[in-house]
Amino acid sequence: MPRDNGYSEAEGIDKLLLSALRYWEVKRDLIDERREARGW
C-alpha cells in the first residue's frame, strides 16, 4: 500500500527539475551578459 504523506516522489522530482532549470536559466543569462559586455 503506498504511503500518502501529501508529497509524492513525482512532486519532488518536478520541484527539483524546475529548480535546476531556473538555475541554468540564470547561468545562461549571466553568460549572455558577459558575452555582450565583451562585444561577442
Side-chain angles (χ1 to χ4, degrees), residues 12-28:
I13 292 170
D14 290 345
K15 287 181 181 183
L16 181 60
L17 178 59
L18 287 173
S19 178
L21 289 172
R22 278 189 229 109
Y23 170 82
W24 286 111
E25 182 179 14
V26 169
K27 291 291 279 184
R28 186 193 67 216

Side-chain angles (χ1 to χ4, degrees), residues 3-16:
R3 294 180 311 192
D4 185 14
N5 59 3
Y7 184 80
S8 71
E9 184 177 344
E11 287 174 340
I13 292 170
D14 290 345
K15 287 181 181 183
L16 181 60

Side-chain angles (χ1 to χ4, degrees), residues 27-37:
K27 291 291 279 184
R28 186 193 67 216
D29 290 346
L30 289 172
I31 291 168
D32 289 345
E33 287 176 11
R34 290 177 185 164
R35 291 179 76 190
E36 288 174 13

